[in-house]
Amino acid sequence: MEKKFDVKKFLSNNAIIILIILLALFTGVTTQNFFKMRNFSNLVINMAPRFIIACGVSGCLITKGTDLSAGRQVGLAACFSAMLLQSVDYAARMFPDLPDIPWPLALLGVVVVMGVFGAVNGCVIAFLKVPPFIATLGMQTIVYGMCSVITNNQPMGGYKQSYLDVASGKLGDFKAFGVQPFIAIPILKDIPYLLIFALLVGLFFWFLYNKTRHGKYMYAIGGNENAAQVAGVNVAATLIRIYILASIMYGLAGFLVGAKAGGASTATGFGYELEAIAACTIGGVSTNGGVGKVSGILVGVLVFETLKICLQFLGVDPAYTYIAQGLVIIIAVALDLRKYLAKK
């Protein structure tokens, strides 16, 4: 016997997404240039690093954890990237004697360093049994303090062009042995590099969550940690891997955010962890653990970024934009808890 489509349940489960779609339609009708390709391109570019951060946070949420240090880790990664990739002829260079470092090598160094912070988070949660909320809140403060010390609270800029091109470049600009293979393909040549990074991360997480033992362990821990442990899952090792991978994603996102902004400071990444948690929750990653899809994360990030762009086009004061974002976070978590209680 087929189940009838429950309209009320559908509207309740997707209330935020439906409201944002209606807001986008209203904005498109009442303002100019909202549905233009330029605005869509800006939306994609803004989404890319935030999707990468949300993918990192998702593993923590699926295992009934969280990571409140995400935003500050993004900021620290952006500052590390700045130190390594300032132009050699920039007068205010942080390390004047540092040789010219290729950006891929700098990116590798940044994600390795950030992975160490993730390992610390994972070990504190797995071995010391400190609740993820407290452990990552402490790490948030530590990372912010370290960022303030190493930057001396000074904003950094003066990046070399190859680093800036990572954020501003498109596939049509890509050269291999002096040849531009994508320049003759109109559909591909305008795809920004940032979208390529986000796409690769999305595919990696989809494979990790759906096709690997790590993914199965992660969902098992989120569903019932004690049962997973009895079934032979190495809970501690899995949690450590999850938090290391999360910090690696923050490192990559911070690297891209720095290139996109053209500068970095201790304020970089502020509040990004809340946006990521909200995006994950909107996209169906349950804060009660055991549930979450990469496709849902993408939808959640799209919804959250669309909200911000709509309010910007409507001329809403930035202060009220923060209020709207906060309300969305509360409503998203409340709806998630409602679904969880309904299943019990």
Side-chain angles (χ1 to χ4, degrees):
M1 186 176 178
E2 291 186 8
K3 289 183 178 180
K4 289 184 178 180
F5 179 70
D6 192 333
V7 177
K8 185 178 179 181
K9 185 177 180 182
F10 175 80
L11 292 174
S12 176
N13 290 343
N14 299 281
I16 293 178
I17 296 174
I18 294 168
L19 286 173
I20 298 301
I21 291 172
L22 293 174
L23 178 62
L25 292 173
F26 174 78
T27 306
V29 171
T30 58
T31 63
Q32 293 183 339
N33 302 321
F34 182 78
F35 289 124
K36 293 293 179 67
M37 185 56 68
R38 182 180 179 84
N39 187 40
F40 177 74
S41 178
N42 289 334
L43 175 64
V44 170
I45 290 171
N46 288 334
M47 277 180 60
R50 286 167 171 81
F51 174 67
I52 294 170
I53 298 166
C55 283
V57 169
S58 67
C60 308
L61 294 175
I62 289 170
T63 53
K64 292 186 179 178
T66 189
D67 194 345
L68 298 181
S69 66
R72 291 305 185 185
Q73 288 196 53
V74 169
L76 183 60
C79 290
F80 275 146
S81 302
M83 293 174 184
L84 296 174
L85 293 167
Q86 287 178 312
S87 179
V88 291
D89 57 358
Y90 182 57
R93 199 178 185 208
M94 182 68 72
F95 299 114
D97 298 326
L98 194 70
D100 188 20
I101 300 174
W103 70 259
L105 186 60
L107 173 58
L108 179 62
V110 168
V111 297
V112 168
V113 170
M114 299 315 299
V116 173
F117 290 97
V120 173
N121 269 339
C123 288
V124 169
I125 292 165
F127 297 130
L128 300 182
K129 304 300 180 184
V130 177
F133 178 88
I134 302 299
T136 58
L137 180 62
M139 181 58 75
Q140 178 193 75
T141 309
I142 291 169
V143 170
Y144 178 64
M146 290 181 65
C147 193
S148 299
V149 170
I150 65 174
T151 63
N152 200 26
N153 285 316
Q154 296 297 316
M156 289 179 289
Y159 299 158
K160 60 182 185 178
Q161 191 59 44
S162 61
Y163 178 39
L164 295 172
D165 289 343
V166 172
S168 62
K170 298 179 180 179
L171 208 53
D173 303 327
F174 177 76
K175 290 183 181 180
F177 305 106
V179 178
Q180 291 178 285
F182 300 104
I183 194 71
I185 309 174
I187 297 175
L188 297 179
K189 71 176 185 178
D190 291 327
I191 296 176
Y193 288 149
L194 284 174
L195 179 58
I196 301 299
F197 278 103
L199 180 62
L200 291 174
V201 167
L203 290 173
F204 169 77
F205 271 85
W206 177 87
F207 180 80
L208 183 71
Y209 285 4
N210 295 283
K211 302 296 181 181
T212 67
R213 186 179 297 176
H214 172 83
K216 292 176 182 177
Y217 287 176
M218 179 183 69
Y219 286 110
I221 293 169
N224 190 320
E225 184 175 328
N226 292 330
Q229 198 153 20
V230 170
V233 174
N234 190 332
V235 173
T238 304
L239 288 174
I240 291 169
R241 284 196 298 269
I242 286 169
Y243 282 89
I244 289 174
L245 181 58
S247 288
I248 288 173
M249 290 302 106
Y250 309 151
L252 172 59
F255 179 89
L256 297 176
V257 166
K260 179 176 174 292
S265 70
T266 54
T268 303
F270 175 72
Y272 280 19
E273 68 281 352
L274 299 180
E275 291 185 17
I277 293 169
C280 286
T281 308
I282 292 168
V285 180
S286 177
T287 53
N288 294 295
V291 178
K293 295 181 180 179
V294 174
S295 57
I297 298 168
L298 179 61
V299 170
V301 174
L302 175 61
V303 166
F304 211 76
E305 288 304 308
T306 301
L307 169 66
K308 290 193 286 186
I309 288 179
C310 286
L311 295 177
Q312 184 180 354
F313 265 81
L314 292 170
V316 176
D317 188 289
Y320 291 104
T321 300
Y322 282 114
I323 293 172
Q325 291 175 28
L327 288 172
V328 167
I329 292 170
I330 294 170
I331 294 169
V333 174
L335 290 173
D336 176 58
L337 289 171
R338 186 173 177 274
K339 285 188 284 185
Y340 173 73
L341 292 172
K343 289 178 182 178
K344 291 186 72 174

